[in-house]
Amino acid sequence: MALIDNGVYVGGRRVEAPTDLDDTYRIMDAHAGLAWIGLYRPSPAEVASVADEFGLHPLAVEDALSGHQRSKLERYGDTLFAVLRPARYRDEQEHVEIGELHLFVGPDFVVTIRHAESPDLASVRRRMEANPELLAMGPEAVLYAILDEVVDEYEPVIAGLENDIDEIEDQLFGDSDDDALSRRIYTLSREVIDLQRAVHPLAGMLEALRRGSEKYHVDVELRRSLRDVLDHVIRIDERVVSFRAILENALTVQSALVARRQADASLAQNDEIKKISSWAAIIFAPTLVGTIYGMNFDDMPELHMAFGYPAALLAMAGFAVALFGVFKFKRWL
């Protein structure tokens, strides 16, 4: 059943809790009250029923049915249509789960169409019903309460992202798998961008509500409350922007560190090659002398010299020492 919570309110107090939409319309007309209808993934027929009853604009209804909308606020006559993108953070997967909530706010009704588990609209309704004075301010008060809940639910997301970014900063200069760390930074950057797309439009939406509040005779205290939510949104948006900058810098630093480590490894490898080549040349010189005089030809005058053997040893040692000195001078050894 898509109708998960439903109520008709008079003077800020619930007078009826209808079990279906037709009863809601009847009771609402009978009491001249405010209808607050909560739908969860409704069918097209249920959305069409609400649209027919309250005269919702076809374009807004189409958006509500198709889903996957950006955060926005639109006015069709005396009806407001808002799309909100609530969020939850799955810390184990380091994933920002973005939901979607559609609201139709008219002179005597509020219709919420939720496409995800968040936000917790049940807690919003309980809080509003515990404060009849606020609920008596009408549909705008319900809109404010829902906006406030959506923005409040961003805080745990911000805290989760901040914790993961702190871990990444610790890993940057520690012992970590370069590929895994680069992938983690990039993935978290994508999550931050998704959150920014959900949060950033809210400031403009709330500004538009504030500008129109006098024209539509919104209570002064409610205007102040909306201003407080706007301040909260601006702070969150600034933090999200800073997270994105930090992660971009982290990815740049990680790339530089990987390049430096690769360069250091290449230099170390070159040094090893130089050492091996140097010792090979040093060993080759005595081997060459010994090989020449080990060929056993008859016509080799040096074989019959009295000092031939010591001279050969001296030549071997001389070549080795000379090459060692050359390589040491060139710092190959």
Side-chain angles (χ1 to χ4, degrees):
M1 180 63 180
L3 187 63
I4 56 172
D5 204 349
N6 194 16
V8 175
Y9 300 86
V10 176
R13 301 184 185 279
R14 190 191 289 229
V15 294
E16 293 281 353
T19 56
D20 60 50
L21 292 174
D22 290 335
D23 279 348
T24 304
Y25 308 148
R26 180 180 53 79
I27 295 169
M28 173 187 168
D29 291 338
H31 291 278
L34 164 67
W36 182 355
I37 301 171
L39 301 172
Y40 178 66
R41 293 179 179 170
S43 66
E46 288 165 324
V47 176
S49 172
V50 172
D52 290 341
E53 177 66 24
F54 299 122
L56 305 181
H57 196 279
L59 290 177
V61 174
E62 182 181 346
D63 286 345
L65 286 171
S66 60
H68 305 290
Q69 303 293 313
R70 60 179 177 83
S71 299
K72 61 182 179 179
L73 180 70
E74 296 173 342
R75 181 173 288 279
Y76 298 94
D78 58 358
T79 301
L80 274 174
F81 173 61
V83 179
L84 304 178
R85 304 302 304 272
R88 288 184 179 181
Y89 194 56
R90 304 299 184 188
D91 191 51
E92 299 79 10
Q93 298 86 23
E94 294 186 357
H95 171 61
V96 178
E97 185 180 276
I98 304 292
E100 189 167 345
L101 174 66
H102 298 168
L103 294 97
F104 293 94
V105 181
D108 55 358
F109 66 88
V110 175
V111 179
T112 61
I113 300 176
R114 191 157 50 91
H115 292 275
E117 295 302 319
S118 61
D120 185 4
L121 295 183
S123 68
V124 176
R125 193 181 290 261
R126 287 194 299 269
R127 190 165 68 249
M128 292 294 286
E129 289 179 350
N131 188 353
E133 293 80 10
L134 178 59
L135 189 50
M137 294 179 187
E140 292 82 3
V142 177
L143 175 60
Y144 150 72
I146 293 173
L147 283 166
D148 188 48
E149 177 67 21
V150 169
V151 174
D152 283 346
E153 288 188 5
Y154 287 141
E155 283 294 346
V157 180
I158 293 295
L161 288 170
E162 188 171 37
N163 181 66
D164 290 332
I165 289 171
D166 288 342
E167 291 177 2
I168 284 173
E169 289 178 331
D170 292 338
Q171 285 181 295
L172 271 177
F173 300 99
D175 296 327
S176 60
D177 183 336
D178 289 332
D179 289 340
L181 181 55
S182 297
R183 186 164 51 251
R184 184 183 186 189
I185 295 171
Y186 178 78
T187 301
L188 204 59
S189 296
R190 296 302 310 168
E191 301 299 321
V192 169
I193 289 171
D194 288 343
L195 180 61
Q196 187 179 25
R197 288 173 180 163
V199 172
H200 186 69
L202 282 178
M205 294 165 61
L206 286 161
E207 280 288 1
L209 283 174
R210 286 198 335 112
R211 287 195 301 269
S213 58
E214 186 170 350
K215 177 181 178 181
Y216 293 97
H217 310 293
V218 178
D219 186 88
V220 174
E221 287 302 319
L222 198 52
R223 296 182 206 175
R224 292 171 180 161
S225 298
L226 285 171
R227 175 66 204 181
D228 183 65
V229 177
L230 175 60
D231 291 341
H232 197 180
V233 167
I234 291 171
R235 288 196 300 270
I236 290 174
D237 189 42
E238 289 173 348
R239 293 181 71 184
V240 174
V241 170
S242 71
F243 288 167
R244 187 171 178 180
I246 290 170
L247 288 169
E248 287 174 354
N249 290 337
L251 196 58
T252 301
V253 170
Q254 170 67 1
S255 300
L257 290 173
V258 170
R260 191 184 73 179
R261 281 194 283 267
Q262 290 175 343
D264 290 345
S266 179
L267 288 173
Q269 188 177 30
N270 288 339
D271 288 341
E272 292 299 321
I273 291 173
K274 288 178 181 179
K275 289 179 182 179
I276 293 171
S277 300
S278 300
W279 284 113
I282 291 169
I283 294 171
F284 174 73
T287 303
L288 178 64
V289 175
T291 303
I292 291 173
Y293 291 105
M295 291 188 291
N296 296 322
F297 289 113
D298 289 335
D299 296 326
M300 293 183 69
E302 294 88 351
L303 295 176
H304 303 290
M305 293 175 58
F307 297 103
Y309 176 67
L313 291 178
L314 185 62
M316 293 180 190
F319 280 129
V321 170
L323 288 173
F324 181 84
V326 170
F327 292 134
K328 195 71 173 176
F329 177 76
K330 291 180 174 291
R331 295 184 179 178
W332 283 32
L333 291 174

